């Protein structure tokens, strides 16, 4: 990664860092001019910074642990030598706000007991038969909301819950979701005007890796 040291130097000296991972990625891409390399570097730096934060260890411990792991992995010696030569740069990167802030914001935006992954509504038709079960006398149409979510202990495997809805339930749910959108946007605008700092609603930040 020939432009790594240049990228490190420029990221470290950023005066007003962003809390958005996508902004960090754009900055790295501006420096390197290489999309794939920029995404890999951004992803790994944020991952290392998040690991340091959650495990409550020093930046030096994170990088030294990484270098030790590489030394014992079946990788070319040149890879290990590169990380050793860039040890100080990597430590300084994990210490600088341009890496720490977006990593912290990313963690806070997903630090919930349950996180929604996806959802869909299934239309369920249930026939009503006569007592002899020989003739269908009618049918009932129901709606089932299926929600897939992730939990701390799910290890990336989504859990599922199914909820039966009637038409009134659907109208109430739509109304609540619209209220939620309005409240989030209002809170964002008011907090931005009061503090003047960068604020985003969870979900509108793409993190730049997609």
């Amino acid at each position: 990664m020939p432009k790594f040291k240049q990228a490190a130097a420029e990221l470290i000296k950023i005066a007003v860092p962003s809390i958005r991972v996508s902004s960090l990625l754009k900055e790295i891409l501006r420096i390197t001019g290489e999309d794939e390399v920029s995404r890999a570097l951004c992803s790994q730096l944020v991952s290392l910074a998040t690991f340091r934060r959650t495990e409550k260890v020093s930046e030096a411990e994170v990088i030294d642990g990484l270098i030790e792991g590489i030394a014992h992995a079946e990788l070319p010696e040149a890879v290990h030598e590169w990380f050793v030569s860039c040890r100080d740069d990597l430590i300084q990167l994990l210490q600088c706000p341009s890496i720490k802030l977006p990593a912290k914001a990313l963690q806070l935006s997903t630090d919930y007991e349950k996180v929604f992954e996806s959802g869909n509504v299934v239309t369920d038709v249930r026939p009503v038969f006569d007592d002899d079960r020989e003739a269908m006398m009618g049918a009932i149409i129901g709606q089932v909301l299926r929600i897939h979510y992730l939990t701390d202990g799910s290890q990336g495997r989504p859990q599922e819950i199914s909820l039966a809805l009637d038409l009134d339930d659907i109208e109430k749910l739509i109304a609540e979701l619209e209220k939620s959108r309005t409240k989030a946007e209002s809170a964002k605008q008011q907090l931005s005007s009061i503090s003047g700092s960068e604020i985003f609603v969870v979900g509108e930040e793409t993190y730049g890796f997609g």
Side-chain angles (χ1 to χ4, degrees), residues 45 89 179:
L45 287 174
D89 298 293
K179 288 179 186 177

Side-chain angles (χ1 to χ4, degrees), residues 121-122 124 140-145 163-174:
V121 176
V122 177
D124 182 24
I140 296 172
I141 299 175
Q143 312 262 25
V144 178
L145 174 62
L163 303 170
L165 305 174
D166 60 24
L167 290 177
D168 188 49
D169 294 330
I170 292 173
E171 292 298 327
K172 288 178 181 177
L173 181 58
I174 292 172

Side-chain angles (χ1 to χ4, degrees), residues 130-160:
D130 62 10
D131 289 344
D132 296 328
R133 296 179 176 81
E134 294 180 350
M136 188 174 76
M137 308 302 296
I140 296 172
I141 299 175
Q143 312 262 25
V144 178
L145 174 62
R146 297 174 62 186
I147 296 176
H148 303 272
Y149 62 94
L150 300 173
T151 64
D152 290 340
S154 66
Q155 297 179 338
R157 295 188 299 272
Q159 309 293 309
E160 181 184 318

Side-chain angles (χ1 to χ4, degrees), residues 21 46 50 53-54 102-116 150-152 200-203 205-207:
V21 175
V46 170
T50 301
R53 175 177 165 80
T54 56
K104 183 176 183 179
L106 175 59
Q107 184 190 11
L108 289 174
S109 67
T110 58
D111 187 22
Y112 296 95
E113 181 182 355
K114 296 181 178 65
V115 178
F116 177 85
L150 300 173
T151 64
D152 290 340
F200 65 84
V201 180
V202 174
E205 162 62 9
T206 63
Y207 308 120

Side-chain angles (χ1 to χ4, degrees), residues 18-29 34-44 46 102 106 200 203-210:
S18 171
I19 64 171
R20 294 176 180 264
V21 175
S22 58
S23 295
L24 172 62
L25 175 58
K26 288 178 182 177
E27 190 64 24
I28 297 175
L29 181 58
E34 301 178 36
D35 184 75
E36 188 173 342
V37 170
S38 297
R39 290 179 183 276
L41 178 58
C42 184
S43 175
Q44 292 307 309
V46 170
L106 175 59
F200 65 84
E204 70 177 14
E205 162 62 9
T206 63
Y207 308 120
F209 300 133

Side-chain angles (χ1 to χ4, degrees), residues 68-97:
E68 183 179 355
I70 291 172
H72 292 88
E74 295 181 0
L75 294 171
E77 180 60 27
V79 174
H80 179 255
E81 291 175 355
W82 184 89
F83 276 91
V84 171
S85 69
C86 295
R87 174 183 180 274
D88 292 342
D89 298 293
L90 289 165
I91 291 173
Q92 290 181 57
L93 277 171
L94 295 190
Q95 292 172 337
C96 75

